[in-house]
Amino acid sequence: DQQVKQNSPSLSVQEGRISILNCDYTNSMFDYFLWYKKYPAEGPTFLISISSIKDKNEDGRFTVFLNKSAKHLSLHIVPSQPGDSAVYFCAASAQTGANNLFFGTGTRLTVIP
Amino acid sequence: EAGVVQSPRYKIIEKKQPVAFWCNPISGHNTLYWYLQNLGQGPELLIRYENEEAVDDSQLPKDRFSAERLKGVDSTLKIQPAELGDSAVYLCASSLGGQVSGELFFGEGSRLTVL
């Protein structure tokens, strides 16, 4: 049973435009959310996170938005650059639980120069 | 600073053979994780260590999988015997503390192919 879902397996965006990656979750106990980026043949690397007490967190070109009522979060990348081409994983955890990270299936972003 | 180191990067074995993966976490990181990543899926936790204690191994198939973290530093993950369905990438990660609000640092992974 997939508790974190990324329904778009792939996304293509022109360089300089905005990339929006979406993620949905089902477990209302999740209170911390993270995005990881993965290049081929490398392990995932942490990108940005957000606590459930916030609805937005920004770090340079990357912004994560959280809509708790919809159990939905999104990652915005603006402007998109060719080096952003990678697989992006959404992850969630329940701090009061076992501190396990539940990952989505990933979205492959391709930024076209 | 050295990152999480895993070996081997690639391993091809025949079914029913044993296999072992090794992980060296970032120096000073007391929490170590082993994740399984199947093709087209996100990583799934197999086991989490706090120092040398396995605090969450509920997802580890204990009939064929075993893990250890002697002295609270390096860790090994073993599969014996391997099955065709075990073909996947095995990721090791470490963090400073058990709280997931801190980021996890992943190694490059060990890709297993079982023939």
Side-chain angles (χ1 to χ4, degrees), chain B residues 39-61:
Chain B
L39 186 65
Q41 302 295 313
E44 299 174 36
L45 182 70
L46 287 172
I47 189 168
R48 176 169 65 96
Y49 283 92
E50 298 285 346
N51 299 304
E52 54 277 342
E53 181 183 359
V55 295
D56 184 356
D57 63 356
S58 57
Q59 301 305 311
L60 189 72

mmCIF file of all heavy atoms in Angstrom, chain B residues 39-61:
data_model
loop_
_atom_site.group_PDB
_atom_site.id
_atom_site.type_symbol
_atom_site.label_atom_id
_atom_site.label_comp_id
_atom_site.label_asym_id
_atom_site.label_seq_id
_atom_site.Cartn_x
_atom_site.Cartn_y
_atom_site.Cartn_z
ATOM 1 N N LEU B 39 13.376 -1.552 -9.184
ATOM 2 C CA LEU B 39 13.321 -0.760 -10.412
ATOM 3 C C LEU B 39 12.005 0.001 -10.503
ATOM 4 O O LEU B 39 10.932 -0.588 -10.342
ATOM 5 C CB LEU B 39 13.493 -1.686 -11.617
ATOM 6 C CG LEU B 39 13.614 -0.997 -12.978
ATOM 7 C CD1 LEU B 39 14.897 -0.176 -13.023
ATOM 8 C CD2 LEU B 39 13.611 -2.028 -14.095
ATOM 9 N N GLY B 40 12.089 1.311 -10.701
ATOM 10 C CA GLY B 40 10.888 2.125 -10.864
ATOM 11 C C GLY B 40 10.160 2.435 -9.576
ATOM 12 O O GLY B 40 9.047 2.968 -9.603
ATOM 13 N N GLN B 41 10.782 2.098 -8.456
ATOM 14 C CA GLN B 41 10.166 2.347 -7.148
ATOM 15 C C GLN B 41 11.042 3.259 -6.311
ATOM 16 O O GLN B 41 12.207 3.490 -6.623
ATOM 17 C CB GLN B 41 9.959 1.021 -6.407
ATOM 18 C CG GLN B 41 9.093 0.027 -7.156
ATOM 19 C CD GLN B 41 7.672 0.515 -7.310
ATOM 20 O OE1 GLN B 41 7.054 0.987 -6.358
ATOM 21 N NE2 GLN B 41 7.133 0.412 -8.523
ATOM 22 N N GLY B 42 10.461 3.769 -5.240
ATOM 23 C CA GLY B 42 11.260 4.533 -4.296
ATOM 24 C C GLY B 42 11.926 3.614 -3.289
ATOM 25 O O GLY B 42 11.550 2.449 -3.157
ATOM 26 N N PRO B 43 12.927 4.105 -2.579
ATOM 27 C CA PRO B 43 13.589 3.293 -1.564
ATOM 28 C C PRO B 43 12.628 2.869 -0.446
ATOM 29 O O PRO B 43 11.736 3.634 -0.063
ATOM 30 C CB PRO B 43 14.679 4.223 -1.017
ATOM 31 C CG PRO B 43 14.888 5.252 -2.083
ATOM 32 C CD PRO B 43 13.538 5.443 -2.714
ATOM 33 N N GLU B 44 12.822 1.654 0.055
ATOM 34 C CA GLU B 44 12.023 1.141 1.159
ATOM 35 C C GLU B 44 12.967 0.696 2.267
ATOM 36 O O GLU B 44 13.939 -0.024 2.015
ATOM 37 C CB GLU B 44 11.173 -0.048 0.693
ATOM 38 C CG GLU B 44 10.189 0.283 -0.400
ATOM 39 C CD GLU B 44 9.486 -0.962 -0.917
ATOM 40 O OE1 GLU B 44 9.218 -1.868 -0.107
ATOM 41 O OE2 GLU B 44 9.213 -1.021 -2.123
ATOM 42 N N LEU B 45 12.661 1.083 3.488
ATOM 43 C CA LEU B 45 13.539 0.773 4.609
ATOM 44 C C LEU B 45 13.563 -0.720 4.903
ATOM 45 O O LEU B 45 12.517 -1.360 5.017
ATOM 46 C CB LEU B 45 13.087 1.529 5.867
ATOM 47 C CG LEU B 45 13.955 1.315 7.106
ATOM 48 C CD1 LEU B 45 15.309 1.990 6.927
ATOM 49 C CD2 LEU B 45 13.263 1.831 8.358
ATOM 50 N N LEU B 46 14.767 -1.258 5.055
ATOM 51 C CA LEU B 46 14.931 -2.646 5.498
ATOM 52 C C LEU B 46 15.234 -2.685 6.996
ATOM 53 O O LEU B 46 14.652 -3.471 7.740
ATOM 54 C CB LEU B 46 16.065 -3.315 4.733
ATOM 55 C CG LEU B 46 15.806 -3.666 3.273
ATOM 56 C CD1 LEU B 46 17.092 -4.153 2.614
ATOM 57 C CD2 LEU B 46 14.718 -4.721 3.164
ATOM 58 N N ILE B 47 16.188 -1.849 7.411
ATOM 59 C CA ILE B 47 16.613 -1.875 8.814
ATOM 60 C C ILE B 47 17.258 -0.543 9.159
ATOM 61 O O ILE B 47 17.864 0.099 8.297
ATOM 62 C CB ILE B 47 17.582 -3.055 9.073
ATOM 63 C CG1 ILE B 47 17.873 -3.232 10.565
ATOM 64 C CG2 ILE B 47 18.873 -2.890 8.285
ATOM 65 C CD1 ILE B 47 18.573 -4.550 10.900
ATOM 66 N N ARG B 48 17.076 -0.150 10.416
ATOM 67 C CA ARG B 48 17.700 1.086 10.921
ATOM 68 C C ARG B 48 18.443 0.785 12.204
ATOM 69 O O ARG B 48 17.913 0.093 13.085
ATOM 70 C CB ARG B 48 16.644 2.156 11.160
ATOM 71 C CG ARG B 48 17.178 3.443 11.788
ATOM 72 C CD ARG B 48 16.126 4.543 11.748
ATOM 73 N NE ARG B 48 14.970 4.235 12.574
ATOM 74 C CZ ARG B 48 14.815 4.661 13.828
ATOM 75 N NH1 ARG B 48 15.772 5.379 14.398
ATOM 76 N NH2 ARG B 48 13.724 4.370 14.512
ATOM 77 N N TYR B 49 19.663 1.270 12.294
ATOM 78 C CA TYR B 49 20.493 1.100 13.477
ATOM 79 C C TYR B 49 20.687 2.438 14.185
ATOM 80 O O TYR B 49 20.914 3.472 13.552
ATOM 81 C CB TYR B 49 21.887 0.574 13.108
ATOM 82 C CG TYR B 49 21.949 -0.878 12.782
ATOM 83 C CD1 TYR B 49 21.815 -1.332 11.475
ATOM 84 C CD2 TYR B 49 22.170 -1.826 13.780
ATOM 85 C CE1 TYR B 49 21.892 -2.679 11.177
ATOM 86 C CE2 TYR B 49 22.253 -3.174 13.496
ATOM 87 C CZ TYR B 49 22.103 -3.587 12.184
ATOM 88 O OH TYR B 49 22.181 -4.925 11.894
ATOM 89 N N GLU B 50 20.600 2.396 15.495
ATOM 90 C CA GLU B 50 21.076 3.478 16.341
ATOM 91 C C GLU B 50 22.323 2.936 17.043
ATOM 92 O O GLU B 50 22.226 2.066 17.898
ATOM 93 C CB GLU B 50 20.031 3.894 17.376
ATOM 94 C CG GLU B 50 18.754 4.423 16.797
ATOM 95 C CD GLU B 50 18.884 5.832 16.257
ATOM 96 O OE1 GLU B 50 19.879 6.506 16.549
ATOM 97 O OE2 GLU B 50 17.976 6.250 15.516
ATOM 98 N N ASN B 51 23.475 3.450 16.624
ATOM 99 C CA ASN B 51 24.751 2.856 17.065
ATOM 100 C C ASN B 51 24.752 1.379 16.662
ATOM 101 O O ASN B 51 24.514 1.078 15.503
ATOM 102 C CB ASN B 51 24.959 3.093 18.546
ATOM 103 C CG ASN B 51 25.013 4.575 18.874
ATOM 104 O OD1 ASN B 51 25.823 5.310 18.321
ATOM 105 N ND2 ASN B 51 24.121 5.026 19.750
ATOM 106 N N GLU B 52 24.969 0.464 17.595
ATOM 107 C CA GLU B 52 25.010 -0.939 17.159
ATOM 108 C C GLU B 52 23.677 -1.658 17.334
ATOM 109 O O GLU B 52 23.562 -2.846 17.040
ATOM 110 C CB GLU B 52 26.122 -1.692 17.892
ATOM 111 C CG GLU B 52 26.092 -1.633 19.395
ATOM 112 C CD GLU B 52 26.725 -0.371 19.969
ATOM 113 O OE1 GLU B 52 27.487 0.323 19.273
ATOM 114 O OE2 GLU B 52 26.420 -0.067 21.128
ATOM 115 N N GLU B 53 22.656 -0.935 17.785
ATOM 116 C CA GLU B 53 21.361 -1.557 18.038
ATOM 117 C C GLU B 53 20.413 -1.387 16.848
ATOM 118 O O GLU B 53 20.204 -0.274 16.351
ATOM 119 C CB GLU B 53 20.712 -0.949 19.282
ATOM 120 C CG GLU B 53 19.375 -1.573 19.629
ATOM 121 C CD GLU B 53 18.705 -0.905 20.820
ATOM 122 O OE1 GLU B 53 19.310 0.032 21.386
ATOM 123 O OE2 GLU B 53 17.588 -1.320 21.175
ATOM 124 N N ALA B 54 19.839 -2.505 16.404
ATOM 125 C CA ALA B 54 18.831 -2.461 15.348
ATOM 126 C C ALA B 54 17.510 -2.045 15.981
ATOM 127 O O ALA B 54 16.875 -2.826 16.690
ATOM 128 C CB ALA B 54 18.705 -3.816 14.674
ATOM 129 N N VAL B 55 17.085 -0.804 15.725
ATOM 130 C CA VAL B 55 15.888 -0.291 16.386
ATOM 131 C C VAL B 55 14.633 -0.465 15.538
ATOM 132 O O VAL B 55 13.521 -0.309 16.038
ATOM 133 C CB VAL B 55 16.070 1.188 16.774
ATOM 134 C CG1 VAL B 55 17.170 1.330 17.828
ATOM 135 C CG2 VAL B 55 16.372 2.044 15.565
ATOM 136 N N ASP B 56 14.801 -0.739 14.253
ATOM 137 C CA ASP B 56 13.657 -0.978 13.386
ATOM 138 C C ASP B 56 14.071 -1.962 12.310
ATOM 139 O O ASP B 56 14.761 -1.597 11.365
ATOM 140 C CB ASP B 56 13.139 0.319 12.765
ATOM 141 C CG ASP B 56 11.873 0.117 11.932
ATOM 142 O OD1 ASP B 56 11.424 -1.043 11.774
ATOM 143 O OD2 ASP B 56 11.329 1.120 11.438
ATOM 144 N N ASP B 57 13.683 -3.205 12.459
ATOM 145 C CA ASP B 57 13.978 -4.224 11.431
ATOM 146 C C ASP B 57 12.697 -4.921 10.998
ATOM 147 O O ASP B 57 12.723 -6.060 10.527
ATOM 148 C CB ASP B 57 15.006 -5.236 11.923
ATOM 149 C CG ASP B 57 14.515 -6.039 13.129
ATOM 150 O OD1 ASP B 57 13.408 -5.752 13.621
ATOM 151 O OD2 ASP B 57 15.249 -6.946 13.563
ATOM 152 N N SER B 58 11.584 -4.228 11.156
ATOM 153 C CA SER B 58 10.290 -4.854 10.890
ATOM 154 C C SER B 58 10.107 -5.219 9.416
ATOM 155 O O SER B 58 9.309 -6.091 9.087
ATOM 156 C CB SER B 58 9.165 -3.920 11.339
ATOM 157 O OG SER B 58 9.272 -2.657 10.696
ATOM 158 N N GLN B 59 10.813 -4.553 8.514
ATOM 159 C CA GLN B 59 10.658 -4.820 7.082
ATOM 160 C C GLN B 59 11.759 -5.727 6.534
ATOM 161 O O GLN B 59 11.816 -5.966 5.334
ATOM 162 C CB GLN B 59 10.633 -3.496 6.305
ATOM 163 C CG GLN B 59 9.516 -2.556 6.717
ATOM 164 C CD GLN B 59 8.155 -3.219 6.617
ATOM 165 O OE1 GLN B 59 7.816 -3.825 5.594
ATOM 166 N NE2 GLN B 59 7.368 -3.121 7.671
ATOM 167 N N LEU B 60 12.613 -6.215 7.394
ATOM 168 C CA LEU B 60 13.707 -7.085 6.940
ATOM 169 C C LEU B 60 13.211 -8.530 6.873
ATOM 170 O O LEU B 60 12.760 -9.076 7.883
ATOM 171 C CB LEU B 60 14.884 -6.987 7.912
ATOM 172 C CG LEU B 60 16.182 -7.662 7.486
ATOM 173 C CD1 LEU B 60 16.839 -6.869 6.369
ATOM 174 C CD2 LEU B 60 17.120 -7.812 8.674
ATOM 175 N N PRO B 61 13.274 -9.155 5.691
ATOM 176 C CA PRO B 61 12.848 -10.567 5.579
ATOM 177 C C PRO B 61 13.856 -11.467 6.286
ATOM 178 O O PRO B 61 14.870 -11.854 5.720
ATOM 179 C CB PRO B 61 12.836 -10.810 4.063
ATOM 180 C CG PRO B 61 12.937 -9.463 3.421
ATOM 181 C CD PRO B 61 13.663 -8.598 4.395
#
